[in-house]
Amino acid sequence: AAKQTGEPVRRWTPALDERAGEFVRLGAEIRAALDHDQFRVVYQPIVELPSGRVAAVEALVRWEHPVRGVVSPAAFIPVAERNGLIVELGEWILRTACRQLAEWRATLGDRAPERVSVNVSARQLARPQFAATVAAALADSGLPASRLAVEVTETAVFEGGQAVTALHELRALGVRIALDDFGTGHSSLGLLQTVPVDILKVDKSFVDNVTQAGRHTVIAEALFQVSTGLGLSAVAEGVETAEQADALHRLGYRYLQGYYYGRPVAEPDFALSAAIAAGS
Ligand code: C2E
Ligand code: CA
Ligand code: CA
Ligand code: CA
């Protein structure tokens, strides 16, 4: 008997079946990887100009798969988001990153970065317990709340609701909020009126051609003006060359992140990154 729900009929083709099989298989592997400690967190410097000091680091997850080698988060984060495992994985990443910065502060003193920035997915942010989870990670690691930033994307917050409530709760704890991939969403500027934000991460796509006078340069400059006008700090992402760094610095950017300053690694050399920046 045909269903009366009015939902479109989805044909179960072999191709769909294969993709569904792959989804289930990868999901089960992520579960096993969590149990077998196959995830690592790496850290990419965010450099402050003109000093070249490593002001902050962004935590990025890696999966060290016993057979496939290092698996990109672009391949497994979307699966973990869909099957819900991102909640457990994300909490592990958050706790690991807080513990790591607390340890660097204890061992490196002034040379430790001021802040660690942790990516948080929509699924985590939608949970009413999220702010309490963050508070517990801070308490257990001993990291002050002001030393943590969470990076959220526009799509995670644009529907408002619990996600925006969570951001207000995090702000009240003293955690900074960074809007990731800024400028690539549907409602970037509108969001700034309703969502509590401290940091705009200007997407790599605006940085790529910033050395050629053209629309990317105009947009990169406009995004910087918006951030300063609103009293936010701007971080330019995906800086790969000295020329891009110079162009961004001339537009006013003070915080830059990208392969030019350092790739994400387990133990960034904070002193070396500073030397590269100072020499530019
Ligand atoms: P994202 O948050 O926008 O992270 C920046 C990505 O750009 C990282 O890729 C980083 O390695 C890469 N990148 C940095 N500088 C450069 C550069 O100069 N050139 C180029 N070509 N790439 C650069 P990664 O680590 O592969 O992560 C990809 C995405 O996966 C992230 O994009 C983020 O959306 C997601 N992701 C990574 N780690 C986590 C995590 O711990 N939790 C969650 N929820 N998502 C994560
Ligand atoms: Ca990010
Ligand atoms: Ca980004
Ligand atoms: Ca991205």
Side-chain angles (χ1 to χ4, degrees):
K3 283 213 231 145
Q4 301 294 312
T5 56
E7 284 170 4
V9 177
R10 295 245 284 162
R11 283 203 171 272
W12 201 247
T13 64
L16 255 183
D17 210 20
E18 245 167 56
R19 265 181 279 141
E22 172 62 15
F23 175 77
V24 170
R25 204 157 36 241
L26 195 53
E29 281 197 62
I30 294 169
R31 172 73 268 160
L34 270 165
D35 296 337
H36 294 101
D37 196 24
Q38 291 171 2
F39 291 104
R40 297 284 174 267
V41 179
V42 290
Y43 301 88
Q44 185 175 35
I46 299 171
V47 163
E48 181 179 349
L49 298 181
S51 70
R53 185 177 67 102
V54 178
V57 287
E58 179 176 355
L60 294 155
V61 69
R62 297 290 179 264
W63 180 2
E64 288 172 4
H65 192 283
V67 178
R68 296 187 220 183
V70 178
V71 184
S72 160
F76 66 87
I77 291 284
V79 176
E81 282 173 347
R82 279 176 58 201
N83 70 10
L85 281 173
I86 192 65
V87 171
E88 185 177 339
L89 177 57
E91 183 174 349
W92 179 83
I93 294 163
L94 177 72
R95 287 180 167 274
T96 302
C98 289
R99 229 185 296 120
Q100 179 61 265
L101 182 54
E103 188 191 311
W104 281 330
R105 281 162 55 83
T107 56
L108 302 176
D110 285 350
R111 284 180 48 233
E114 269 172 31
R115 193 167 292 135
V116 64
S117 207
V118 177
N119 292 283
V120 167
S121 87
R123 190 89 181 236
Q124 292 173 274
L125 212 56
R127 289 166 59 84
Q129 318 87 310
F130 184 65
T133 303
V134 172
L138 289 168
D140 291 349
S141 65
L143 189 72
S146 62
R147 304 300 180 175
L148 175 68
V150 296
E151 298 197 4
V152 299
T153 59
E154 296 161 50
T155 43
V157 291
F158 99 108
E159 281 179 20
Q162 179 56 37
V164 174
T165 302
L167 295 184
H168 283 289
E169 291 169 349
L170 292 172
R171 257 274 190 85
L173 290 174
V175 173
R176 301 294 198 279
I177 315 292
L179 212 46
D180 206 355
D181 304 340
F182 189 71
T184 60
H186 295 293
S187 56
S188 304
L189 294 174
L191 273 184
L192 297 179
Q193 300 183 76
T194 52
V195 173
V197 179
D198 303 289
I199 301 160
L200 294 184
K201 298 202 72 177
V202 173
D203 192 69
K204 180 178 187 300
S205 58
F206 305 110
V207 168
D208 284 341
N209 299 309
V210 77
T211 53
Q212 299 149 27
R215 53 179 65 222
H216 288 92
T217 309
V218 173
I219 296 172
E221 181 166 24
L223 293 178
F224 179 77
Q225 299 296 341
V226 167
S227 73
T228 39
L230 295 175
L232 314 177
S233 50
V235 178
E237 292 192 289
V239 180
E240 294 181 342
T241 68
E243 291 72 24
Q244 288 170 342
D246 286 346
L248 290 160
H249 193 202
R250 266 183 272 118
L251 294 181
Y253 285 86
R254 284 179 59 215
Y255 296 99
L256 306 186
Q257 177 182 2
Y259 292 169
Y260 176 61
Y261 294 106
R263 288 182 182 253
V265 291
E267 292 270 343
D269 188 337
F270 302 117
L272 180 68
S273 295
I276 293 170
S280 75

